[in-house]
Amino acid sequence: MIYCPIFNKLFHTQPLSLKELALTFCFSSIVFIAVEIEKFIKRHLNSKKSC
């Protein structure tokens, strides 16, 4: 939506710069990795309880 000129005018937005996109990707990757590690740990602990 932020990359379509019509929506830029309608919502008063502008496209993200390359630096802003990189920061967004880095921070979202940190969250994604943290959640995946949490899921791995929970699965590992649950498998030990089952045995």
Side-chain angles (χ1 to χ4, degrees):
M1 190 162 103
I2 62 173
Y3 293 100
C4 184
I6 293 171
F7 291 129
N8 287 342
K9 290 178 183 177
L10 181 65
F11 293 107
H12 306 287
T13 60
Q14 62 185 16
L16 297 174
S17 69
L18 185 59
K19 182 179 178 181
E20 293 166 331
L21 284 172
L23 281 171
T24 303
F25 179 75
C26 289
F27 287 127
S28 62
S29 295
I30 291 169
V31 173
F32 175 77
I33 291 168
V35 169
E36 292 300 317
I37 290 171
E38 178 188 17
K39 288 179 357 185
F40 174 78
I41 291 170
K42 284 183 177 182
R43 280 189 216 122
H44 185 70
L45 291 176
N46 283 340
S47 68
K48 282 188 173 184
K49 287 180 183 178
S50 299
C51 294

